[in-house]
Structure formats: C-alpha cells, structure tokens
Amino acid sequence: MAKTGTTTQGLRAAIERSGYYPALVAEAVEAAVGGEDVASYVVHQETTFDANEVRRHVTVLVLTPSRFIVSHTDEQAADNSSPSPYATTSTESVKLDRISSVVVSRVVANPESYTPGSVPREVVLTIGWGAVSRIDLEPAACGDPNCDADHGYTGNATADDLSLRVSEAGDGPDTVRQTLTFAQALSEATAATAPTAGR
C-alpha cells in the first residue's frame, strides 16, 4: 500500500485528471475525509445523454481506516430555479462496521482462455450498508394451475445503496484495476471490523 501522503496526493490527482469541477469535488471529498489517512480510492466519471443535453456525473469512493466515504457530484442545466448552470455535490460517511455486503461482479470475454490477473471487460461493484433497500414483491402461487386461492405475496429484499459499473471500453483498464483494488481493500477492511464469533 502506498504511503498516506502519496495516496492522498494520488486521490487529488485522480480528481483533477477527471476534469469534472475538480476544485468543488476535491473540497467536498477532503472535508469528508478530514484528518484520516486514505487507504484506497476510486474516481469514476460517467457521461449520459438526456434528450438534447449531455449530463456528467462523478462518483468518488474513499476508504479510510475507519470509514467508507462516497461522494456524488452532478451538473444541471439552467432551469426555473437557477438562471445559470449549477452543480450539486454530496458526501456520505459510513463506518466500516455498518457495511453489510461488498459484491464484485466481473464480466470476462472468452472465459475458456482466461489468464489470472487479466483485466475483466466489465466490473460492477455493489456495496450495501442498509441506507437504501429495495423490496420486489409478486403474488405467490401454488403448483395447481386451476387454484384461485390467495397465497399472499413472495419477494426479495435487496440492499441497494451503491452500484458502480466500470468497463474497459468506456473507462479504460486502469479504472477497472483501481475498482478491483478498491473492492479488495474494502472487503478486507470490513472483514477486519467484523465481530468474532463467541465475543
């Protein structure tokens, strides 16, 4: 792992490289990090097309020794509430012991010839800490096609706090690698804070 100063400087440099309101994003992220060390980070910019407008969004994920920090910044065109374009930035700090799941989904091409260490074509990092949950319900049924009884509902509750998708084609191999490195560091940090059985 890089030294604290190098990692903090690397985070600042990555925010500046994104070119997306770097002063605003860096100030928000640095205020959330405070005096803590930066153990790992990911900076991800996403561009979407909405009718005739191009919208940009940047997500910054930071791991410190005690917290997971997520920052989102969006830009908005001028509207009835503002005569000029504006940006909104938000940060959330989550204690590591609150993180309930870290899910990493990898998409690889030609899996039969996959070589360990190769960069996946796509990575989706999903992190849950209980702030947002989604419940999908559907009517329950039995195996009898002629049954018209009410069997109630069945469904799933899913933690849906953060999902970040990066791809080699859209974001480059370095961003994919950085996301995997961050996911591993976060998984290890949450495992270290998990209570030991029998305590």
Side-chain angles (χ1 to χ4, degrees), residues 11-78:
L11 171 59
R12 181 67 182 244
I15 290 171
E16 289 176 359
R17 262 194 318 275
S18 79
Y20 183 82
Y21 308 122
L24 172 66
V25 174
E27 181 180 54
V29 170
E30 288 168 3
V33 170
E36 283 200 273
D37 295 344
V38 173
S40 188
Y41 62 86
V42 173
V43 178
H44 179 251
Q45 182 181 320
E46 183 178 14
T47 303
T48 58
F49 299 93
D50 181 14
N52 296 327
E53 295 180 1
V54 176
R55 294 185 185 273
R56 295 182 299 168
H57 174 91
V58 69
T59 302
V60 180
L61 308 180
V62 181
L63 175 63
T64 74
S66 67
R67 296 177 297 147
F68 162 67
I69 297 166
V70 58
S71 173
H72 295 288
T73 305
D74 292 286
E75 64 182 357
Q76 305 292 330

Side-chain angles (χ1 to χ4, degrees), residues 3-4 13 25 40 44 50 54 58 70 82-83 86 92 98 100 120 122 135 137 140 149 151 159 164 183 186 190 192:
K3 293 180 181 176
T4 302
V25 174
S40 188
H44 179 251
D50 181 14
V54 176
V58 69
V70 58
S82 175
Y86 60 98
E92 182 174 2
R98 285 193 49 217
S100 55
E122 181 179 309
I135 298 177
L137 293 176
H151 295 285
L164 181 72
L186 182 61
T190 55

